[in-house]
Amino acid sequence: MNLAVSSLDEALCLRYRGIQTPILSLGYILPEHLLTAQKHNITISLDSLEHAYSIKKSKVTGLTLHIKIDTGMNRLGFKKVSEVQQAIDLLKEENHIEGIYTHYVDSSVSDNPLTDQQYQLFENILKE
């Protein structure tokens, strides 16, 4: 079982309660908190090329990362495949890139055309 939480604070609350299950923080983690995330084995969402550069600049290594793709929420996430590849190239030597994900705008309705569009966009990015 894996868990996902919205922030590093939520992830740390779970760790302090003894939960050892892998935890992905969906929210942005500031460079000054990367060492805390690493120490507590919290997986970090990588959401932009700028974020990748800030991680590299922090000199914190050994992080576990998930790449966040923006397929329509328009909040956080990569929009360009070229930037995803640049970020991977920048961080893969010193960190573990474990996964990739997206966030659907509304997946509660089974025949929502927007969800279908987002799914197709995500699939296309994965293929590239």
Side-chain angles (χ1 to χ4, degrees):
M1 170 176 39
N2 295 327
L3 301 174
V5 296
S6 67
S7 67
L8 179 59
D9 287 343
E10 287 182 2
L12 292 174
C13 284
L14 294 175
R15 287 290 187 250
Y16 295 151
R17 286 178 170 79
I19 294 173
Q20 296 303 311
T21 299
I23 301 173
L24 168 63
S25 177
L26 299 172
Y28 183 86
I29 295 179
L30 296 169
E32 57 265 28
H33 297 143
L34 292 173
L35 200 53
T36 299
Q38 180 207 44
K39 177 182 173 188
H40 294 281
N41 197 28
I42 306 299
T43 301
I44 296 167
S45 289
L46 177 63
D47 59 25
S48 69
L49 188 54
E50 293 78 22
H51 191 194
Y53 280 115
S54 73
I55 290 171
K56 184 74 171 181
K57 186 178 177 184
S58 77
K59 302 197 188 296
V60 177
T61 61
L63 299 168
T64 301
L65 306 165
H66 273 237
I67 297 167
K68 168 76 163 56
I69 303 296
D70 182 0
T71 57
M73 284 293 285
N74 296 316
R75 293 197 314 221
L76 297 173
F78 287 90
K79 292 183 184 238
K80 297 178 182 175
V81 174
S82 61
E83 290 185 358
V84 172
Q85 192 57 56
Q86 288 177 56
I88 290 171
D89 291 342
L90 185 67
L91 298 174
K92 69 181 178 184
E93 296 294 322
E94 300 168 331
N95 301 283
H96 176 63
I97 300 173
E98 182 178 69
I100 187 167
Y101 73 98
T102 192
H103 184 181
Y104 293 113
V105 173
D106 180 12
S107 61
S108 62
V109 179
S110 62
D111 60 350
N112 185 338
L114 181 57
T115 302
D116 293 340
Q117 290 171 356
Q118 285 186 270
Y119 176 78
Q120 274 309 124
L121 180 58
F122 188 65
E123 281 290 307
N124 292 340
I125 289 172
L126 288 178
K127 287 177 188 172
E128 289 186 47

